[in-house]
Amino acid sequence: MKETWISEAQNAMAHAHVPYSHFPVGACLVTKEGEIYTGCNIENASFGLSNCAERTAFFKAVSEGRKEFQHLVITGNTKEPISPCGACRQVMAEFCEPDMPVTLVSESGKTKEMTVKELIPYTFTDAQL
């Protein structure tokens, strides 16, 4: 099952729009029902308007009414398993249980599995509002 999700993330990476950084990233977000939402990073000449692969996948899923997730895979052309940025970690904290697994994948296929809580241990959540 996880191999399929990794493959989906790698396939999504092929659609990345990265004319500035030349750093494609792909993501595969899996709902608790097993539905798959993929995403790639999409850059913009106005850099602040760019969007990461992980957030693309989350926003696609949430825009279609899905808010319960079981797994996230992130893949990139990195030597070691890719690390998500802080903004993506905060989105994970918003929509995922702290113990949800996240699989990070390198260019060579090396993986590292962490939980959302391990990625962002001291989260800002609705409890602070």
Side-chain angles (χ1 to χ4, degrees):
M1 181 89 65
K2 195 184 305 182
E3 293 80 21
T4 299
W5 300 339
I6 291 171
S7 179
E8 290 283 340
Q10 290 168 331
N11 291 338
M13 188 170 64
H15 299 290
H17 178 74
V18 291
Y20 310 106
S21 72
H22 307 288
F23 186 75
V25 178
C28 176
L29 179 63
V30 185
T31 68
K32 287 192 176 178
E33 294 80 23
E35 296 171 294
I36 292 175
Y37 288 86
T38 60
C40 62
N41 51 328
I42 304 166
E43 294 177 348
N44 189 287
S46 176
F47 295 132
L49 299 178
S50 297
N51 199 52
C52 297
E54 304 92 301
R55 286 183 284 144
T56 298
F58 273 101
F59 296 163
K60 285 170 63 176
V62 172
S63 73
E64 293 188 20
R66 307 305 184 264
K67 293 184 183 175
E68 294 185 347
F69 306 105
Q70 65 169 301
H71 204 101
L72 174 65
V73 174
I74 310 164
T75 187
N77 290 336
T78 52
K79 185 175 180 178
E80 294 299 316
I82 194 165
S83 178
C85 76
C88 289
R89 292 173 194 226
Q90 183 61 45
V91 170
M92 288 178 218
E94 179 73 19
F95 292 106
C96 304
E97 297 295 324
D99 62 343
M100 189 187 91
V102 179
T103 301
L104 311 172
V105 186
S106 73
E107 183 174 37
S108 68
K110 182 178 179 182
T111 63
K112 179 176 183 80
E113 190 165 303
M114 302 183 77
T115 64
V116 171
K117 184 174 181 138
E118 289 171 324
L119 286 167
I120 185 165
Y122 188 62
T123 59
F124 179 79
T125 66
D126 58 348
Q128 282 83 34
L129 299 177

